[in-house]
Structures are given as C-alpha cells and as structure tokens.
Amino acid sequence: MATPSSIDAYVRDQVVENGGREAHVCAQPKLDAGALFVLKSKGSWLHCAYHLTTSIVGPDLLSLPYSLAFLGWTAGIFCMVIGALVTFYSYNLIALVLEHKAQFGHRRFRFRDLAHDVLGPRWCRYFVGPLQFLVCYGAVVGSILLGGQCMKAIYLLLNPNGNMKLYEFVIIFGCLMLLLAQIPSFHSLRHINLVSMLLCLTYSVCVTAACIYIGKSNTGSQKDYSLKGTTVNRVFGIFNANSIIATTYGNGIIPEIQATLAAPVKGKMFKGLSVCYVFVTMTFFSVAISGYWAFGNKAEGLILSNFLDDGKPLIPMWLIFMTNIFTIFQLSAVGVVYLQPTNEVLETTFSDPTSNELSARNVIPRLISRSISVMVATAIAAMLPFFGDINSVIGAFGFIPLDFVLPVVLFNLTFKPSKRSLIYWLNVTIAVVFSILGIIGAVAAIRQISIDAETYKLFANV
C-alpha cells in the first residue's frame, strides 16, 4: 500500500507552479452561519486528534468480539488490520484533497461542499449530503440508546427488582445530550473530546482486564472458537461482521473535523490521524482479542452483556460500575460530536452570520432547533430499542461509501493520477472491493432485521 509520505510527494508534484511560485490563490468566499459559528477554524492538530479519536474510538468497539465470533481468529484479525490500514489511508487521501482545495483559496468545510466541487451538484444533493446526515444522526440515536442501556445495567445491579423501564433511562440520557448540544461550536468541544479520548482508553482497559479475569477463572462458559450455524447463516454472518468492523472504523465527518483547523491546514490532519490511530490500535485490538479469547463464539453483540450470567456478575461489581460509567460519559461526547453536521445545517438555516454568535437573534433559534433535534433523536431511541439492527444497515449503506469508497474516488478525480500508477489502481481496487462489500453487507443486515422482526415492539424493555 502506498504510504502517506509517497502520496504527499505525488500531490506536491501536481501543484501548478508559475515562475517557481504557486498559482494565484483566490479569496475565500464569505462564510455562512454554519461554517462561521459551528465549524470555527481555530483548532490545532492536537485538537483535531481529540475530535478524530472521539468520532472513531467509541463504545461500538465493544461489539468487535461479536464480529470475530463470525469470522474466527485468522479472518477476524485480518479484517480488522485491513480496516485500520484502509481507513487510515482513505482519511489521509480526503485530507490531501481538502488541503489541495485550500491551497488555491477554495477551502471546503463540509463533505457535501467537497462532493459538489468534485462530483457535481446532483451527487452532493441526492447522495453525499443525505447519506452523511443519515449516518451522523443515526450515530446520535445509537449513542442515546446505548447510554440508556448502560444506565439501566447499573440500575439493575444496584436494584435487581427495580421496575424502571429502558425508555426512562434513554430519556434521562437524552436530557444530558440536550445540555451538551447547546455547546456552540465544534471547536468548543476540544476539552470534552480530550476527556473522551482518555475515557475510551480507560474503559477499554477495564473491559480487557474483565475479559482476562473471566477467561482465566472457572466462572465463564466453556470456550468454543468454532463458527456456529448453518452454511447460509455463516456466509451472511461473515458479511454482517465485516459491516460491524467497517462501521466501527467509520467516521463520516473528516471534512468537518478538518474545518476546525486554523489555517494553514497542510500536514495537520496527518498528525491528528497518527495520534488517533495509536488509540485505535490500542483499544480495538485489545478489546476484540481479549473478548473473543474469553467467550469464543458466545461473545454477545455488546461484550458488557457477557459480564453477567443470569443477572449475576462474573467480575467484581466495582469493575462493572467503572466500565459502564466511563462508557456513559464517553457516549455523551460521541453523540454530541456526531450532532455537529446537524447543528451546522440548523445554524445555516436559522442563524444570521452578520449578527454576533451570542446575540439573541442567534442564541434563541439555536436553543430551539438543537433542542428539537435532540428530543427527536431521544424519542426514536426510546421507541426503537432494536435500533442496533437498523444502525447496521445505515453503517453498510453509509459508513462504507463515505469512508472507504468516496475518499479514493475524490482523490483520483482531483489529482488524476496516471492509469499506470500504483496509486490509481490501489484506489480503484479499494473502491470496487468495498462497494461490493457494502452492498452485500446491507443485504445481510436487512436479512437480520427480517429475522429479528418478530421480537420488535415499540418502547420494548430490552
């Protein structure tokens, strides 16, 4: 695979020069309220690393042992390594395309703006824009639901006979999200996302320690690493597992994160991604390997569920509390990060860029629109506690195109590498392979929904 440095060298060779100087840089057009107030360009590469880590390293990594249960040791680890390499490569490609635009005075702050420039207005309006909104808002709903489930788990440990329902905890977590949603800009989240980065590392250590504890004790179930189910179920399970892995590595908001960087942006995203992927490597692989080692093909969709056997904890209670509490707090940060594209659209629609950001003219519409956005997400999470199945479809349809396919397509269309070059054919291969995986993964996810449909019930207390 081509390295980021070799790609960067290729990009430098493509820069148009005139008498030893770069081409004339045009003035940046006047910013709308969304770019001006939400996507403030004030951050450093370190702040970018905080945002990237929070957006990628979230509690959905706790489903990685479950994906390995469908793939086995060799295929599972191989798919995780490929996922890490391809996403790191793809995210750097899209960062280079954005840097190239900024270099000539056309800095783009949103995924849809970049798609408009490179692919055309129809692709922007009917594909990239709606797809990104669906993915990001789905992540918000999923975060609220998972936050409610973690709260309920703590409640049942303290009060096994308690009668509070899941939707009540979802609403409580939604209230926390309602407060965080009022933080005005993406850049304002940098300190929260620093704490989030430390939290994801902390609960990953807790989960890994819990898995090792159970795996070495006699309290866990007998380990079985064979692939279970019929041949058809195994095949669909393999594609479903790959969709889970792809969604776990997914981001979908690279341009919006890069927009928070202060100019000049060149080279800063590579530094931020490098720090982020140190955390990705430490957390993803430690949880996936220890979880699958401890529980084999009995690993649950959320590995925390394996820590209880008929409601009885298999590890010390304090470790379960710590893990769930850290997960809850990090989920709130993940949810508010993925709320930013929605906030940006709302700000562009309802705010006035000529007025002060904190003026009544802008604060009142912001408070109302963001509150309604979070309340709708909370209502969906409370009504559809089986949203995980739906989210796997969103991941297959959304994260794979946005994070695996579009970056390489945008790079090839922007820089037009020679069809005889390694970069061109590597990018074409990635686009084709992951387009196929995305389609098959979506089919597998829809099949899973049809299988689970009999258990679906609005406001179910699962």
Side-chain angles (χ1 to χ4, degrees):
M1 181 174 290
T3 63
S5 59
S6 66
I7 298 168
D8 199 38
Y10 174 83
V11 172
R12 287 197 301 270
D13 292 341
Q14 306 304 308
V15 173
V16 178
E17 294 188 345
N18 183 13
R21 292 176 297 178
E22 292 180 355
H24 175 66
V25 174
C26 304
Q28 180 71 27
K30 191 174 181 180
L31 299 178
D32 55 45
L36 193 63
F37 297 152
V38 178
L39 305 176
K40 287 182 179 178
S41 303
K42 293 184 176 181
S44 67
W45 70 266
L46 202 53
H47 299 149
C48 176
Y50 304 158
H51 301 322
L52 286 165
T53 305
T54 298
S55 62
I56 298 175
V57 189
D60 50 355
L61 70 89
L62 301 177
S63 64
L64 287 172
Y66 177 71
S67 66
L68 262 62
F70 290 100
L71 297 169
W73 279 116
T74 304
I77 299 300
F78 175 78
C79 289
M80 286 185 61
V81 170
I82 292 297
L85 292 175
V86 172
T87 50
F88 183 75
Y89 174 77
S90 297
Y91 295 155
N92 273 291
L93 288 191
I94 202 167
L96 289 172
V97 173
L98 289 162
E99 288 176 9
H100 180 75
K101 295 288 181 182
Q103 193 171 11
F104 294 100
H106 303 285
R107 188 173 181 187
R108 295 296 174 249
F109 295 92
R110 291 161 284 227
F111 216 137
R112 63 181 185 274
D113 293 341
L114 184 60
H116 185 281
D117 275 7
V118 181
L119 301 174
R122 289 188 177 180
W123 280 93
C124 162
R125 186 178 300 114
Y126 299 113
F127 183 71
V128 176
L131 199 63
Q132 187 194 32
F133 178 82
L134 185 66
V135 165
C136 293
Y137 203 68
V140 175
V141 175
S143 296
I144 294 173
L145 175 58
L146 186 53
Q149 289 173 334
C150 289
M151 285 184 169
K152 182 187 173 186
I154 293 175
Y155 170 75
L156 290 178
L157 284 173
L158 294 173
N159 186 9
N161 298 318
N163 55 10
M164 286 186 70
K165 308 299 183 184
L166 175 60
Y167 69 84
E168 297 175 88
F169 294 102
V170 168
I171 293 170
I172 293 170
F173 189 85
C175 292
L176 173 61
M177 284 289 298
L178 193 65
L179 295 174
L180 292 175
Q182 308 309 325
I183 296 174
S185 71
F186 207 154
H187 178 64
S188 303
L189 297 175
R190 62 194 183 279
H191 298 116
I192 289 176
N193 287 342
L194 169 60
V195 175
S196 167
M197 188 168 73
L198 299 175
L199 283 173
C200 73
L201 184 61
T202 306
Y203 71 67
S204 296
V205 169
C206 291
V207 170
T208 303
C211 291
I212 293 173
Y213 177 89
I214 295 172
K216 286 190 172 183
S217 69
N218 295 322
T219 55
S221 58
Q222 190 69 29
K223 300 172 191 176
D224 182 1
Y225 302 114
S226 63
L227 301 181
K228 58 184 179 180
T230 64
T231 302
V232 173
N233 287 337
R234 287 183 186 180
V235 171
F236 278 105
I238 287 170
F239 289 112
N240 208 19
N242 278 306
S243 294
I244 291 171
I245 292 172
T247 303
T248 306
Y249 281 108
N251 179 283
I253 52 173
I254 290 292
E256 285 76 8
I257 291 176
Q258 188 155 339
T260 66
L261 288 169
V265 298
K266 188 171 178 60
K268 292 180 180 177
M269 277 294 282
F270 177 72
K271 292 180 182 178
L273 280 165
S274 297
V275 172
C276 170
Y277 270 75
V278 170
F279 282 83
V280 166
T281 304
M282 289 190 297
T283 55
F284 282 29
F285 286 88
S286 62
V287 170
I289 293 171
S290 64
Y292 185 52
W293 171 78
F295 302 105
N297 59 22
K298 292 184 176 61
E300 299 282 351
L302 189 68
I303 196 64
L304 300 181
S305 303
N306 285 104
F307 297 166
L308 300 175
D309 184 15
D310 291 330
K312 297 178 181 179
L314 301 178
I315 58 175
M317 290 277 283
W318 61 267
L319 187 54
I320 294 181
F321 287 137
M322 277 181 57
T323 305
N324 278 280
I325 289 169
F326 292 150
T327 302
I328 288 168
F329 282 118
Q330 210 244 347
L331 275 166
S332 63
V334 172
V336 79
V337 161
Y338 278 103
L339 201 58
Q340 296 311 304
T342 304
N343 290 346
E344 180 272 317
V345 170
L346 294 172
E347 208 87 349
T348 300
T349 305
F350 298 112
S351 294
D352 179 8
T354 62
S355 300
N356 186 280
E357 178 188 5
L358 300 179
S359 65
R361 165 66 184 82
N362 288 328
V363 168
I364 294 173
R366 179 185 304 133
L367 178 65
I368 295 172
S369 61
R370 293 188 182 188
S371 298
I372 292 173
S373 173
V374 173
M375 286 190 286
V376 170
T378 304
I380 294 172
M383 290 172 60
L384 307 175
F386 46 85
F387 189 77
D389 282 355
I390 299 172
N391 225 14
S392 63
V393 179
I394 294 173
F397 273 122
F399 277 118
I400 289 179
L402 288 176
D403 296 324
F404 292 84
V405 180
L406 274 175
V408 296
V409 171
L410 293 171
F411 183 91
N412 277 7
L413 291 175
T414 300
F415 295 107
K416 297 179 174 60
S418 168
K419 291 184 179 179
R420 289 181 288 183
S421 66
L422 173 63
I423 290 175
Y424 176 85
W425 285 109
L426 176 61
N427 291 349
V428 169
T429 302
I430 290 172
V432 171
V433 169
F434 282 94
S435 294
I436 294 170
L437 286 176
I439 294 169
I440 298 174
V443 172
I446 292 171
R447 175 180 177 270
Q448 191 61 45
I449 287 179
S450 67
I451 292 173
D452 295 341
E454 293 181 1
T455 64
Y456 292 166
K457 182 183 177 183
L458 292 180
F459 298 101
N461 186 36
V462 294

